[in-house]
């Protein structure tokens, strides 16, 4: 569903990341953006068959290509990738969603999980792991899940978090500050006809994990009110 021309545009943008070049090639950008919108619309329709996404539209999910350079040493004005967050409320919901990243040279991926958790959310996560690690491990250690998501990204503490012993049986999970799972796609896979359905397959596998995190971070507290 994505065209080769969209990846070529991103490759060229990475080499000519300035406003003048972008202005001259805006038509190519608009074509790539339209490509992404078509993909995201397909994902919304089909993910909506097994998860309530509300009334979101592609524009609610797609991130701007402009970079925020105010506090960055890298002053490139544009991202060299296209991206979107699929989930209830779109990219600004604050909840755990499914992240789709399109970038040439085999850097495209589908990912999801705990990435920028607040201290309060980390405390909730660790309490849940301490109380009932089995539920989480059943999801993320499932052979089918791990076969699709072999890459685990994220920072860890070097020692046990405060309040937990160093010899805790779930010390690896307790040390996690981030627990984000990824499946990378080659450029050939991204432009293949079956790519959208492959992404949906991955989202279905991620859903129990995102449901777990959203419950622990948000819904469990609401139920107690």
């Amino acid at each position: 569903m994505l065209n080769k021309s969209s990846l070529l545009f991103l490759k060229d943008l990475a080499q000519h990341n300035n406003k003048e070049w972008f202005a001259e090639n805006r038509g190519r950008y608009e074509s790539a953006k339209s490509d992404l919108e078509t993909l995201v619309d397909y994902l919304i329709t089909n993910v909506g068959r097994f998860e309530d996404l509300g009334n979101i539209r592609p524009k609610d999910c797609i991130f701007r290509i402009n970079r925020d350079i105010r506090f960055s040493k890298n002053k490139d004005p544009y991202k060299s990738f296209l991206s979107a967050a699929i989930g209830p409320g779109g990219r600004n919901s604050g909840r755990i969603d499914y992240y789709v990243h399109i970038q040439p040279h085999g850097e495209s991926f589908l990912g999801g999980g705990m990435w920028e958790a607040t201290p309060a959310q980390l405390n909730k996560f660790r309490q849940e792991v301490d109380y009932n690690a089995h539920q989480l491990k059943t999801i993320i250690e499932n052979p089918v899940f791990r076969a699709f998501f072999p890459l685990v990204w994220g920072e860890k503490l070097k020692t046990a978090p405060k309040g937990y012993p160093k010899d805790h049986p779930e010390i690896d999970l307790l040390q996690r500050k981030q627990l984000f799972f990824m499946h990378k796609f080659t450029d050939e896979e991204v432009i293949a006809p079956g790519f959208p359905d492959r992404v949906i397959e991955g989202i279905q596998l991620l859903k129990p994990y995102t449901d777990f995190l959203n419950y622990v971070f948000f819904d469990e507290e609401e139920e107690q009110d």
Side-chain angles (χ1 to χ4, degrees):
M1 190 173 289
L2 285 175
N3 292 309
K4 185 176 181 179
S5 59
S6 296
L7 293 183
L8 290 175
F9 164 75
L10 292 172
K11 288 179 181 179
D12 289 343
L13 176 59
Q15 297 296 318
H16 308 280
N17 201 323
N18 61 75
K19 292 183 178 180
E20 292 75 19
W21 184 90
F22 192 87
E24 293 173 358
N25 290 269
R26 177 164 285 277
R28 296 177 65 194
Y29 163 65
E30 295 294 344
S31 178
K33 181 182 178 183
S34 178
D35 246 9
L36 181 64
E37 289 172 346
T38 300
L39 170 65
V40 171
D41 186 61
Y42 183 87
L43 296 179
I44 289 172
T45 298
N46 287 275
V47 173
R49 301 181 192 280
F50 56 84
E51 179 161 350
D52 183 7
L53 298 177
N55 297 313
I56 62 168
R57 293 171 290 177
K59 70 175 185 178
D60 302 317
C61 302
I62 294 174
F63 291 96
R64 298 175 70 234
I65 199 167
N66 301 74
R67 295 183 62 248
D68 184 351
I69 61 175
R70 292 174 297 171
F71 309 107
S72 174
K73 292 181 180 180
N74 179 359
K75 297 303 180 182
D76 288 346
Y78 306 106
K79 302 168 185 173
S80 57
F81 57 87
L82 300 172
S83 57
I86 312 297
R91 66 183 183 277
N92 294 321
S93 71
R95 294 173 69 88
I96 307 299
D97 50 29
Y98 314 108
Y99 178 72
V100 179
H101 183 102
I102 305 297
Q103 186 171 5
H105 306 297
E107 295 301 319
S108 299
F109 66 88
L110 167 68
M114 187 169 67
W115 186 249
E116 294 182 337
T118 66
Q121 289 171 344
L122 275 176
N123 286 336
K124 291 180 180 180
F125 175 81
R126 288 166 180 156
Q127 288 171 6
E128 192 68 23
V129 167
D130 183 42
Y131 175 71
N132 181 22
H134 176 73
Q135 180 182 359
L136 174 60
K137 292 171 71 175
T138 297
I139 298 168
I140 65 175
E141 293 181 1
N142 181 289
V144 177
F145 180 92
R146 292 310 300 272
F148 197 98
F149 294 102
L151 301 176
V152 186
W153 279 35
E155 296 180 1
K156 291 177 62 176
L157 297 174
K158 294 182 179 179
T159 186
K162 185 178 180 180
Y164 297 94
K166 294 180 180 180
D167 60 350
H168 192 289
E170 306 301 341
I171 190 62
D172 181 69
L173 286 172
L174 292 172
Q175 288 176 311
R176 290 281 179 181
K177 297 172 64 178
Q178 300 166 318
L179 187 59
F180 190 87
F181 292 90
M182 295 175 53
H183 178 100
K184 283 195 170 186
F185 295 94
T186 66
D187 292 359
E188 291 74 17
E189 288 175 318
V190 167
I191 62 176
F195 174 66
D197 291 327
R198 188 73 168 143
V199 173
I200 292 168
E201 178 186 350
I203 289 176
Q204 286 179 304
L205 291 172
L206 272 174
K207 179 174 166 52
Y209 178 45
T210 59
D211 285 349
F212 171 88
L213 292 176
N214 281 318
Y215 176 77
V216 171
F217 289 169
F218 307 106
D219 303 332
E220 184 176 32
E221 183 176 52
E222 293 175 1
E223 287 185 2
Q224 293 173 353
D225 292 341

